[in-house]
Amino acid sequence: MKKIAIFASGDGSNFRKIYNQIQKGDIPAKIVLVVSNNPRCGAIIFACEQGLENFIVNHTRFPNSDTRDKLLLQALLKAKVELICLAGYMKLLPGGIVKEYQNRILNIHPALLPQFGGKGFYGMKVHEAVIEAGAAESGVTVHLVDEEYDHGKIIAQKKVKVRSGDTAKTLAKRILKVEHDLYPKVVKAFCKDRVVWE
Ligand code: GRF
């Protein structure tokens, strides 16, 4: 059983998919902590409904960023977290956490990295950029996290064709469905120690 922390800032649909697969016994893991910068987001509401521990990290709660980063790392270590899954987390992770959890932090991005990724490419902006560029395909990337946005080693990708007449919204909807399929699979592989690197 791997101990997982989920980091999410939004709706939390990827988080819910992972949670459901764990509940079904399909992923050998336990979510021991849900971290967010937004106490009112869907992910935190869901975490509370399920009785999962949560930790809110934002300026209001911890005005001093050093203290904030220190307490977050402490919370992860105290919960004995072994894998961090970013699922729509809108903040850059503190360097100390990236270091401590090297090769044990996953992120999902709604495009085919390295294209349409990096600072500023988040949420609907990603899909708007894909449509604007006239790309024939987009997709989903699950990757390891390092200090740069959307930069670490790619673990899995799945393509999604851009259809003529697609808007950012219609494309986002199809891509999210693929995310819901791919992310739990990668988390499962990781929890079964099937993700290896040289
Ligand atoms: C997803 O599109 C994910 O790829 C991106 O943020 C979005 C989160 O959606 N990183 P949700 O909160 O899981 O519904």
Side-chain angles (χ1 to χ4, degrees):
M1 282 276 183
K2 282 255 192 295
K3 293 193 170 76
I4 298 183
I6 302 277
F7 282 51
S9 304
D11 189 35
S13 66
N14 280 287
F15 160 34
R16 287 198 297 273
K17 291 287 168 188
I18 294 167
Y19 177 82
N20 289 340
Q21 294 300 102
I22 291 174
Q23 290 303 101
K24 276 195 212 155
D26 195 38
I27 301 177
K30 184 174 188 255
I31 296 174
V32 292
L33 196 61
V34 179
V35 176
S36 184
N37 56 308
N38 179 1
R40 282 186 288 269
C41 70
I44 286 297
I45 292 169
F46 181 73
C48 292
E49 284 168 0
Q50 307 308 318
L52 298 172
E53 286 290 324
N54 70 77
F55 191 89
I56 306 297
V57 264
N58 58 26
H59 291 280
T60 319
R61 192 158 175 227
F62 305 113
N64 180 300
S65 62
D66 286 345
T67 311
R68 189 167 65 229
D69 296 354
K70 219 173 109 188
L71 291 177
L72 176 56
L73 179 56
Q74 267 178 22
L76 294 170
L77 295 174
K78 190 172 159 233
K80 298 193 165 39
V81 169
E82 299 169 279
L83 170 67
I84 295 175
C85 298
L86 306 188
Y89 190 59
M90 300 299 273
K91 299 282 169 191
L92 201 58
L93 281 191
I97 291 180
V98 175
K99 230 187 218 158
E100 178 73 33
Y101 283 92
Q102 207 196 8
N103 291 334
R104 292 188 296 156
I105 310 174
L106 299 175
N107 182 43
I108 185 155
H109 185 78
L112 296 175
L113 291 176
Q115 287 176 72
F116 304 106
K119 195 165 166 47
F121 283 100
Y122 60 88
M124 216 38 110
K125 286 188 196 294
V126 178
H127 308 295
E128 281 161 8
V130 169
I131 298 285
E132 201 157 298
E137 58 186 20
S138 186
V140 177
T141 304
V142 179
H143 64 96
L144 289 170
V145 170
D146 61 15
E147 268 107 349
E148 283 175 55
Y149 278 113
D150 304 325
H151 184 260
K153 284 185 210 90
I154 291 170
I155 295 183
Q157 283 190 311
K158 204 156 181 190
K159 289 178 182 169
V160 173
K161 276 206 165 47
V162 178
R163 293 179 188 155
S164 68
D166 252 343
T167 61
K169 229 174 149 182
T170 56
L171 180 63
K173 209 171 153 193
R174 283 207 315 285
I175 286 182
L176 192 62
K177 267 200 186 142
V178 176
E179 293 186 42
H180 292 164
D181 177 58
L182 189 65
Y183 207 9
K185 280 184 182 154
V186 176
V187 173
K188 180 178 176 177
F190 203 98
C191 289
K192 293 195 154 196
D193 293 321
R194 286 201 204 121
V195 178
V196 292
W197 49 84
E198 294 170 347

